[in-house]
Amino acid sequence: MSVGILQKDKIGQYRDLFSFFLTALLGASVNFFSQIFYRETLDYSFATSVLLGYLTATVVSFVPTKLFAFSAKGTGNTSREAIKFVGIALVAWAVQYFVSVGTLRWIANPLFPKVEEFWREKTSHVVGMGFSFLANYFGHKLLTFRSTGMYDRLRGR
């Protein structure tokens, strides 16, 4: 009997990860294409366009993440979840920013100087997005859409 429960837990974890992946795909698409828009059309620097693309995706992806990835539509804690979502998003943005800029500076530019700058930047951005995905998934799974009791303890004081 315990084997069946463990298998259901594992299936649930994989389902959560897959659902998060699908909603993250929406956010990643918004992130990727808006970063190109900010860089190519509005002529922002690479670093600034990465920041703006990430912020745009964060705003777009909160509701789908809440509703579909973590099935948290009936929690009644939307404002608390939004605050935690932004906190996790800031941490994941820092991960994306530093990995993207670091990859461009220390890997793409020195190792592939003959590759067009556009492709070095896009590849570096995607690498940063991958690391950001992991930070977002674990942060949202462990904090954002889960009751930690912190709010109740603060409210009790």
Side-chain angles (χ1 to χ4, degrees), residues 75-94:
T75 63
N77 297 325
T78 301
S79 59
R80 276 187 264 165
E81 291 166 348
I83 291 167
K84 291 191 280 185
F85 190 88
V86 168
I88 297 300
L90 289 173
V91 170
W93 166 76

Side-chain angles (χ1 to χ4, degrees), residues 114-132:
K114 294 183 181 183
V115 173
E116 189 178 330
E117 181 182 42
F118 177 86
W119 293 111
R120 284 179 293 174
E121 287 182 356
K122 293 314 126 234
T123 302
S124 299
H125 185 212
V126 168
V127 170
M129 288 169 58
F131 280 88
S132 175

Side-chain angles (χ1 to χ4, degrees), residues 88-150:
I88 297 300
L90 289 173
V91 170
W93 166 76
V95 168
Q96 178 178 310
Y97 174 83
F98 287 112
V99 171
S100 295
V101 171
T103 300
L104 180 64
R105 183 176 297 149
W106 295 309
I107 297 172
N109 285 340
L111 297 179
F112 305 103
K114 294 183 181 183
V115 173
E116 189 178 330
E117 181 182 42
F118 177 86
W119 293 111
R120 284 179 293 174
E121 287 182 356
K122 293 314 126 234
T123 302
S124 299
H125 185 212
V126 168
V127 170
M129 288 169 58
F131 280 88
S132 175
F133 169 84
L134 295 172
N136 267 305
Y137 175 73
F138 289 110
H140 294 318
K141 181 172 181 62
L142 299 174
L143 290 172
T144 304
F145 299 108
R146 183 172 154 193
S147 179
T148 60
M150 176 87 76

Side-chain angles (χ1 to χ4, degrees), residues 12-82:
Q13 288 175 351
Y14 290 130
R15 187 181 57 231
D16 285 350
L17 180 62
F18 183 70
S19 297
F20 183 77
F21 176 77
L22 291 178
T23 58
L25 195 57
L26 168 69
S29 299
V30 170
N31 185 336
F32 185 79
F33 291 111
S34 64
Q35 186 273 334
I36 292 171
F37 172 77
Y38 293 128
R39 178 78 169 127
E40 301 295 320
T41 306
L42 301 180
D43 203 30
Y44 285 110
S45 71
F46 174 71
T48 301
S49 65
V50 167
L51 166 64
L52 294 174
Y54 186 84
L55 292 175
T56 303
T58 298
V59 170
V60 169
S61 64
F62 172 71
V63 172
T65 302
K66 176 178 172 58
L67 297 180
F68 303 115
F70 295 106
S71 302
K73 57 183 138 200
T75 63
N77 297 325
T78 301
S79 59
R80 276 187 264 165
E81 291 166 348

